[in-house]
Amino acid sequence: MTQNAIEIRNLRKTYRAAGNQPPKDALRGIDLDIPSGSIFGLLGPNGAGKSTLINILAGLVVKTQGSVKIWGFDQDVNPRQSRAAIGVMPQELNLDPFFTPRGALDVQAGLYGVPKSQRKTEDILELIGLTDKAEAYARSLSGGMRRRLLLGKALVHSPQILVLDEPTAGVDIQLRNMLWANVRRLNEQGMTIILTTHYLEEAQEMCDEIGIIDNGQLIARDTTANLIGRMDQKTLVITPEGDAPTAVPLPDGIIHTIGHDGTHAFTYSQSTITTGHLIEAIRAAGMNIRDIRTQEPDLEDAFLALTAKHPAS
Ligand SMILES: Nc1ncnc2c1ncn2[C@@H]1O[C@H](COP(=O)(O)OP(=O)(O)OP(=O)(O)O)[C@@H](O)[C@H]1O
Ligand SMILES: [Mg+2]
């Protein structure tokens, strides 16, 4: 096993001008190592360049510059080996409407040169929950079923690396849970997983490490825990007993908001004031506390802070 499943150096992609569309620098020099055995989340706003990067890994988009190694094989030097090491579930549905799930999986296995005796079509159908629909035309499958079939297609050649581009977009909650359970199992069996999602709670729960892309550049790369740990902000939410003062004299930097439900929220930086001192200040202002809870920062807070759009100056 190589130490890094993926090694990307100075990766650039410029889409050519088409019609009245100017050229687009979708990737502007990405350096990224993805450790083997990890579940790695590639996050970023719409149009950041995530799918472009993934489609380059998949061999679906031709890079403009830079190098990509997949499982130790340089894409340009060893195209066949690097392709064999990776399976990609694309964001766009690209199914032939006249294939059945079983047929689509068989054709895909054929494309990858998997001998009939080594095909795992039935296991994959089971894994993606399409055994019942194995003989139905793809065009008659629901959107969620089609996405699962795309996952199945990514698995036919037993790749070491599985890449999922928004696997749960439009998939219902039960299937989502099933999908993540399957992904986790594949990871426990040794498969490296790379995924994108706009559901940041899912990313927080699933991913060991996260890379954030914004406007074609990698702006953060850390463990999930460290990214969240960078957020210093915490919120104390108080339900007052009886009439609460509307103004609470507080040290600088604490934001006090009153919710529609009558709760008072105090947002503060953990490095400048302790929760104990804040509660003392609130009590001293005459507020009696009936109930209290705290809101810890999460991946969504870290993501929003990192990708915040600053007005052009
Ligand atoms: N085939 C193409 N031709 C021209 N421009 C493209 C093409 N594909 C993508 N782009 C542009 O490249 C940029 C990055 O797109 P990409 O699809 O990689 O973003 P993304 O991060 O996957 O976004 P999303 O979260 O919406 O899926 C966008 O500005 C997009 O408009
Ligand atoms: Mg995308």
Side-chain angles (χ1 to χ4, degrees), residues 51-105:
S51 293
T52 300
L53 193 155
I54 284 174
N55 290 337
I56 290 173
L57 295 179
L60 298 170
V61 165
V62 179
K63 63 184 186 270
T64 306
Q65 202 186 314
S67 77
V68 173
K69 271 190 192 173
I70 299 173
W71 212 247
F73 297 108
D74 189 306
Q75 237 184 3
D76 299 327
V77 183
N78 300 102
R80 210 169 48 82
Q81 289 94 327
S82 68
R83 257 182 111 94
I86 196 167
V88 178
M89 173 184 176
Q91 181 173 13
E92 300 293 330
L93 291 169
N94 59 352
L95 291 168
D96 186 321
F98 295 104
F99 276 118
T100 65
R102 185 175 279 128
L105 293 174

Coordinates of all heavy atoms in Angstrom, one line a residue, residues 51-105:
S51 N -15.8 19.2 -8.7 CA -16.1 18.2 -9.7 C -15.0 18.2 -10.8 O -14.7 17.1 -11.3 CB -17.5 18.4 -10.4 OG -18.5 18.2 -9.4
T52 N -14.5 19.4 -11.1 CA -13.4 19.4 -12.1 C -12.2 18.6 -11.6 O -11.7 17.8 -12.3 CB -12.9 20.9 -12.3 OG1 -14.1 21.7 -12.7 CG2 -11.8 21.0 -13.2
L53 N -11.9 18.7 -10.3 CA -10.8 18.0 -9.8 C -11.1 16.5 -9.8 O -10.3 15.6 -10.3 CB -10.5 18.4 -8.3 CG -9.2 17.9 -7.7 CD1 -8.8 18.9 -6.6 CD2 -9.3 16.5 -7.1
I54 N -12.3 16.1 -9.4 CA -12.7 14.7 -9.4 C -12.7 14.1 -10.8 O -12.2 13.0 -11.1 CB -14.0 14.6 -8.7 CG1 -13.8 14.7 -7.2 CG2 -14.7 13.2 -9.0 CD1 -15.1 14.7 -6.4
N55 N -13.2 14.9 -11.7 CA -13.3 14.4 -13.1 C -11.9 14.3 -13.8 O -11.7 13.4 -14.6 CB -14.2 15.3 -13.9 CG -15.7 15.2 -13.5 OD1 -16.0 14.1 -12.9 ND2 -16.5 16.2 -13.8
I56 N -10.9 15.1 -13.3 CA -9.6 14.9 -13.7 C -9.0 13.6 -13.2 O -8.4 12.7 -13.9 CB -8.7 16.1 -13.3 CG1 -9.1 17.3 -14.1 CG2 -7.2 15.7 -13.5 CD1 -8.4 18.6 -13.7
L57 N -9.3 13.3 -11.9 CA -8.9 12.0 -11.3 C -9.5 10.9 -12.1 O -8.8 9.8 -12.3 CB -9.3 11.9 -9.8 CG -8.7 12.9 -8.8 CD1 -9.3 12.6 -7.4 CD2 -7.2 12.8 -8.8
A58 N -10.7 11.0 -12.5 CA -11.5 10.0 -13.2 C -11.0 9.8 -14.6 O -11.4 8.9 -15.3 CB -13.0 10.2 -13.1
G59 N -10.3 10.8 -15.1 CA -9.9 10.7 -16.5 C -11.0 11.2 -17.5 O -10.9 11.0 -18.7
L60 N -12.0 11.9 -16.9 CA -13.1 12.5 -17.7 C -12.8 13.9 -18.2 O -13.4 14.3 -19.2 CB -14.4 12.4 -16.9 CG -14.9 11.1 -16.4 CD1 -16.0 11.2 -15.4 CD2 -15.3 10.2 -17.6
V61 N -11.9 14.6 -17.5 CA -11.5 15.9 -17.9 C -10.0 16.0 -18.0 O -9.3 15.4 -17.2 CB -12.0 17.0 -16.8 CG1 -11.4 18.3 -17.0 CG2 -13.5 17.1 -16.9
V62 N -9.5 16.6 -19.1 CA -8.1 16.7 -19.3 C -7.5 17.9 -18.6 O -8.0 19.0 -18.8 CB -7.8 16.8 -20.8 CG1 -6.3 16.8 -21.1 CG2 -8.4 15.5 -21.5
K63 N -6.5 17.7 -17.8 CA -6.0 18.8 -17.0 C -5.2 19.7 -18.0 O -4.7 19.3 -19.0 CB -5.0 18.3 -15.9 CG -3.8 17.5 -16.4 CD -3.0 17.0 -15.2 CE -1.8 16.3 -15.7 NZ -1.9 14.9 -16.0
T64 N -5.0 21.0 -17.5 CA -4.2 21.9 -18.3 C -2.8 21.9 -18.0 O -1.9 22.0 -18.8 CB -4.8 23.4 -18.1 OG1 -6.2 23.4 -18.3 CG2 -4.1 24.4 -19.0
Q65 N -2.5 21.6 -16.7 CA -1.1 21.6 -16.2 C -1.0 20.9 -14.8 O -2.1 20.7 -14.2 CB -0.6 23.1 -16.0 CG 0.9 23.3 -16.0 CD 1.2 24.7 -15.6 OE1 0.6 25.6 -16.1 NE2 2.2 24.8 -14.7
G66 N 0.2 20.4 -14.5 CA 0.3 19.8 -13.2 C 0.4 18.3 -13.3 O 0.4 17.7 -14.4
S67 N 0.6 17.6 -12.2 CA 0.7 16.2 -12.2 C -0.3 15.5 -11.1 O -0.6 16.1 -10.1 CB 2.1 15.7 -11.9 OG 2.4 15.8 -10.6
V68 N -0.7 14.3 -11.5 CA -1.6 13.6 -10.6 C -1.1 12.2 -10.5 O -0.9 11.5 -11.5 CB -3.1 13.5 -11.2 CG1 -4.0 12.6 -10.4 CG2 -3.7 14.9 -11.3
K69 N -0.9 11.7 -9.3 CA -0.5 10.3 -9.1 C -1.7 9.7 -8.3 O -2.1 10.2 -7.3 CB 0.7 10.2 -8.2 CG 2.0 10.2 -9.0 CD 3.2 9.9 -8.0 CE 4.5 10.1 -8.7 NZ 5.6 9.9 -7.8
I70 N -2.1 8.5 -8.9 CA -3.1 7.7 -8.2 C -2.5 6.4 -7.8 O -2.0 5.7 -8.7 CB -4.3 7.5 -9.2 CG1 -4.9 8.9 -9.6 CG2 -5.4 6.7 -8.6 CD1 -5.9 8.9 -10.7
W71 N -2.6 6.1 -6.5 CA -2.0 4.9 -6.0 C -0.6 4.7 -6.5 O -0.1 3.6 -6.8 CB -2.9 3.7 -6.4 CG -2.9 2.6 -5.4 CD1 -2.3 1.4 -5.5 CD2 -3.4 2.7 -4.0 NE1 -2.5 0.6 -4.3 CE2 -3.2 1.4 -3.4 CE3 -4.0 3.7 -3.3 CZ2 -3.5 1.2 -2.1 CZ3 -4.4 3.4 -2.0 CH2 -4.2 2.2 -1.4
G72 N 0.2 5.8 -6.5 CA 1.6 5.8 -6.9 C 1.8 5.8 -8.4 O 3.0 5.9 -8.8
F73 N 0.8 5.8 -9.2 CA 1.0 5.8 -10.6 C 0.7 7.1 -11.2 O -0.4 7.7 -11.0 CB 0.1 4.7 -11.3 CG 0.4 3.3 -10.9 CD1 -0.5 2.6 -10.1 CD2 1.5 2.7 -11.4 CE1 -0.2 1.3 -9.7 CE2 1.8 1.4 -11.0 CZ 0.9 0.7 -10.2
D74 N 1.6 7.7 -11.9 CA 1.4 9.0 -12.6 C 0.4 8.8 -13.7 O 0.6 7.9 -14.6 CB 2.7 9.5 -13.1 CG 2.6 10.9 -13.6 OD1 1.7 11.2 -14.5 OD2 3.4 11.8 -13.1
Q75 N -0.6 9.6 -13.7 CA -1.7 9.5 -14.7 C -1.1 9.6 -16.2 O -1.6 8.9 -17.1 CB -2.6 10.7 -14.6 CG -4.0 10.3 -14.3 CD -4.9 11.6 -14.2 OE1 -4.5 12.7 -14.4 NE2 -6.2 11.3 -14.0
D76 N -0.1 10.4 -16.4 CA 0.5 10.5 -17.7 C 1.4 9.4 -18.1 O 1.6 9.1 -19.3 CB 1.2 11.9 -17.8 CG 0.3 13.0 -17.6 OD1 -0.9 12.9 -17.9 OD2 0.7 14.0 -17.0
V77 N 2.1 8.8 -17.1 CA 3.1 7.8 -17.4 C 2.5 6.4 -17.4 O 2.8 5.6 -18.2 CB 4.2 7.9 -16.3 CG1 5.3 6.9 -16.6 CG2 4.8 9.3 -16.2
N78 N 1.6 6.2 -16.4 CA 1.0 4.8 -16.3 C -0.6 5.0 -16.3 O -1.2 4.7 -15.3 CB 1.4 4.2 -15.0 CG 2.9 3.9 -14.9 OD1 3.6 4.6 -14.2 ND2 3.3 2.9 -15.6
P79 N -1.1 5.4 -17.4 CA -2.6 5.7 -17.4 C -3.4 4.5 -17.1 O -4.4 4.6 -16.4 CB -2.8 6.2 -18.9 CG -1.6 5.8 -19.7 CD -0.5 5.7 -18.7
R80 N -3.0 3.3 -17.5 CA -3.8 2.1 -17.3 C -3.9 1.8 -15.8 O -5.0 1.6 -15.2 CB -3.3 0.9 -18.1 CG -4.4 0.0 -18.5 CD -3.8 -1.0 -19.5 NE -2.6 -1.6 -19.1 CZ -2.4 -2.6 -18.3 NH1 -3.5 -3.2 -17.7 NH2 -1.2 -3.0 -17.9
Q81 N -2.7 1.7 -15.1 CA -2.7 1.4 -13.7 C -3.4 2.4 -12.9 O -4.0 2.1 -11.9 CB -1.2 1.2 -13.2 CG -0.5 0.0 -13.8 CD 0.3 0.3 -15.0 OE1 -0.1 1.2 -15.8 NE2 1.4 -0.4 -15.2
S82 N -3.2 3.7 -13.2 CA -3.8 4.7 -12.4 C -5.3 4.7 -12.5 O -6.0 4.9 -11.5 CB -3.2 6.1 -12.7 OG -3.6 6.5 -14.0
R83 N -5.8 4.4 -13.7 CA -7.2 4.2 -13.9 C -7.8 3.1 -13.1 O -8.9 3.1 -12.6 CB -7.5 4.0 -15.4 CG -8.0 5.3 -16.1 CD -8.3 4.9 -17.5 NE -9.8 4.9 -17.8 CZ -10.4 6.0 -18.2 NH1 -9.7 7.0 -18.5 NH2 -11.7 5.9 -18.5
A84 N -7.0 2.0 -13.1 CA -7.6 0.8 -12.5 C -7.7 0.9 -11.0 O -8.4 0.2 -10.3 CB -6.6 -0.4 -12.8
A85 N -6.9 1.9 -10.4 CA -6.9 2.0 -9.0 C -8.1 2.8 -8.4 O -8.2 2.9 -7.2 CB -5.6 2.7 -8.5
I86 N -8.8 3.5 -9.3 CA -9.8 4.4 -8.8 C -11.2 4.1 -9.5 O -11.3 3.8 -10.6 CB -9.3 5.9 -9.2 CG1 -10.1 6.9 -8.4 CG2 -9.4 6.2 -10.6 CD1 -9.4 8.3 -8.4
G87 N -12.2 4.3 -8.7 CA -13.6 4.2 -9.1 C -14.3 5.5 -8.8 O -14.2 6.0 -7.7
V88 N -15.0 6.1 -9.8 CA -15.6 7.4 -9.5 C -17.1 7.3 -9.7 O -17.6 6.9 -10.8 CB -15.0 8.5 -10.4 CG1 -15.7 9.8 -10.2 CG2 -13.5 8.6 -10.2
M89 N -17.8 7.8 -8.8 CA -19.3 8.0 -8.9 C -19.5 9.5 -9.2 O -19.3 10.4 -8.4 CB -20.0 7.7 -7.6 CG -21.4 8.0 -7.6 SD -22.1 7.6 -5.9 CE -23.8 8.2 -6.1
P90 N -19.8 9.8 -10.5 CA -19.8 11.2 -10.9 C -21.1 11.9 -10.4 O -22.0 11.3 -10.0 CB -19.9 11.1 -12.4 CG -20.4 9.8 -12.7 CD -20.1 8.9 -11.6
Q91 N -21.0 13.2 -10.4 CA -22.1 14.1 -9.9 C -23.3 14.0 -11.0 O -24.4 13.9 -10.6 CB -21.6 15.5 -9.8 CG -22.7 16.5 -9.3 CD -22.2 17.8 -8.9 OE1 -21.0 18.2 -9.3 NE2 -22.9 18.6 -8.3
E92 N -22.9 14.0 -12.2 CA -23.9 14.0 -13.3 C -24.4 12.6 -13.6 O -23.6 11.7 -13.6 CB -23.3 14.6 -14.6 CG -22.8 16.0 -14.5 CD -23.9 17.0 -14.3 OE1 -25.0 16.7 -14.8 OE2 -23.6 18.0 -13.6
L93 N -25.7 12.5 -13.8 CA -26.2 11.1 -14.1 C -25.8 10.9 -15.6 O -26.2 11.6 -16.5 CB -27.7 11.1 -14.0 CG -28.2 11.2 -12.5 CD1 -29.7 11.5 -12.5 CD2 -27.9 9.9 -11.8
N94 N -25.1 9.8 -15.8 CA -24.7 9.5 -17.2 C -25.0 8.0 -17.5 O -24.2 7.3 -18.0 CB -23.2 9.8 -17.4 CG -22.4 9.0 -16.5 OD1 -22.9 8.3 -15.6 ND2 -21.1 9.0 -16.7
L95 N -26.3 7.7 -17.3 CA -26.7 6.3 -17.5 C -27.3 6.1 -18.8 O -28.1 7.0 -19.3 CB -27.7 5.9 -16.4 CG -27.1 5.7 -15.0 CD1 -28.2 5.6 -14.0 CD2 -26.1 4.5 -14.9
D96 N -27.1 5.0 -19.5 CA -27.8 4.6 -20.7 C -29.2 4.2 -20.3 O -29.3 3.2 -19.5 CB -27.0 3.5 -21.4 CG -27.6 3.2 -22.8 OD1 -28.9 3.3 -22.9 OD2 -26.9 3.0 -23.7
P97 N -30.2 4.9 -20.8 CA -31.6 4.6 -20.3 C -32.0 3.2 -20.7 O -33.0 2.6 -20.1 CB -32.4 5.6 -21.0 CG -31.6 6.1 -22.2 CD -30.2 6.0 -21.7
F98 N -31.4 2.5 -21.7 CA -31.9 1.2 -22.1 C -31.1 0.0 -21.5 O -31.4 -1.1 -21.8 CB -31.8 1.1 -23.6 CG -32.7 2.1 -24.3 CD1 -32.2 3.2 -24.9 CD2 -34.1 1.9 -24.3 CE1 -33.1 4.2 -25.4 CE2 -35.0 2.8 -24.8 CZ -34.5 3.9 -25.4
F99 N -30.2 0.4 -20.5 CA -29.6 -0.7 -19.8 C -30.3 -1.0 -18.5 O -30.9 0.0 -17.9 CB -28.1 -0.4 -19.5 CG -27.2 -0.7 -20.6 CD1 -26.4 0.3 -21.2 CD2 -27.0 -2.0 -21.0 CE1 -25.6 0.0 -22.2 CE2 -26.1 -2.3 -22.0 CZ -25.4 -1.3 -22.6
T100 N -30.3 -2.2 -18.1 CA -30.8 -2.5 -16.7 C -29.7 -2.4 -15.8 O -28.5 -2.4 -16.2 CB -31.3 -4.0 -16.7 OG1 -30.2 -4.9 -16.9 CG2 -32.4 -4.2 -17.8
P101 N -29.9 -2.3 -14.5 CA -28.8 -2.3 -13.5 C -27.8 -3.4 -13.7 O -26.6 -3.2 -13.8 CB -29.5 -2.3 -12.2 CG -30.8 -1.6 -12.4 CD -31.2 -2.0 -13.8
R102 N -28.3 -4.6 -13.9 CA -27.4 -5.8 -14.0 C -26.6 -5.6 -15.3 O -25.4 -5.8 -15.3 CB -28.2 -7.1 -14.0 CG -27.3 -8.3 -14.0 CD -28.0 -9.6 -13.9 NE -28.4 -9.9 -12.5 CZ -29.6 -10.2 -12.1 NH1 -30.6 -10.3 -12.9 NH2 -29.8 -10.5 -10.8
G103 N -27.3 -5.2 -16.4 CA -26.6 -5.0 -17.6 C -25.6 -3.9 -17.6 O -24.4 -4.1 -18.0
A104 N -25.9 -2.8 -16.9 CA -25.0 -1.7 -16.8 C -23.7 -2.1 -16.0 O -22.6 -1.7 -16.4 CB -25.7 -0.5 -16.1
L105 N -23.9 -2.9 -15.0 CA -22.8 -3.3 -14.2 C -21.9 -4.3 -15.0 O -20.7 -4.2 -14.9 CB -23.2 -4.0 -12.9 CG -23.9 -3.0 -11.9 CD1 -24.5 -3.8 -10.7 CD2 -23.0 -2.0 -11.4

